[in-house]
Amino acid sequence: MKVELAELIEAARRARANSYSPYSGFAVGAAVETGSGQIFTGTNIENLSFGLTICAERVAVAAAIVQGERDFRVLTLVADSAEPIVPCGACRQVLAEFNPALRIVSVNLSGQTCDESLQDLLPSPTRGILKNARS
Ligand code: THU
């Protein structure tokens, strides 16, 4: 990777400070590094309806795509959780659209880290979807 992992984690930590999460009180920061060495960040944005809440990961992905960047290499996550968080099912599917083997590095505020591949979290992202539709 072109960007230092510590820098990418720090970017997620900074994004987390802007979380809009009055309903859960659970602030999440995300940062993605793209192939060109750029960093895009996201934070969770909650809504009174609950169902319209957007996770930090999808906000980061959207921010990158607006700038023409979709070659995602590494995603970092920061949250104040007992164990480092992993993306929810919906975010896994969205992330897999662009890189099914994305590296995901997640840290909590006690300094615990997990470092894994999206492949292990969502092994068959395209199975049974559209590609297999009868024409
Ligand atoms: N959340 C994220 O932003 N990313 C995750 O990986 C886990 C969950 C947010 C959604 C909601 O605002 C809050 O955390 C509690 O689920």
Side-chain angles (χ1 to χ4, degrees), residues 17-130:
N18 292 326
S19 168
Y20 177 72
S21 44
Y23 305 108
S24 71
F26 189 69
V28 179
V32 278
E33 179 196 355
T34 62
S36 65
Q38 292 186 70
I39 295 176
F40 297 89
T41 60
T43 190
N44 52 329
I45 305 170
E46 297 189 344
N47 186 267
L48 180 60
S49 71
F50 287 22
L52 290 176
T53 291
I54 315 171
C55 294
E57 293 90 326
R58 272 176 285 157
V59 174
V61 164
I65 288 175
V66 169
Q67 299 301 323
E69 293 281 318
R70 47 174 100 130
D71 176 16
F72 303 126
R73 301 292 172 91
V74 186
L75 168 74
T76 57
L77 298 170
V78 176
D80 187 9
S81 47
E83 289 175 24
I85 60 166
V86 285
C88 73
C91 286
R92 292 178 201 189
Q93 192 74 49
V94 169
L95 293 165
E97 181 79 16
F98 302 102
N99 181 358
L102 181 69
R103 182 183 178 195
I104 300 174
V105 178
S106 180
V107 303
N108 65 12
L109 298 192
S110 349
Q112 289 174 300
T113 302
C114 82
D115 186 341
E116 56 197 314
S117 170
L118 179 57
Q119 223 158 24
D120 296 321
L121 295 172
L122 188 66
S124 307
T126 60
R127 185 173 169 197
I129 305 179
L130 201 60

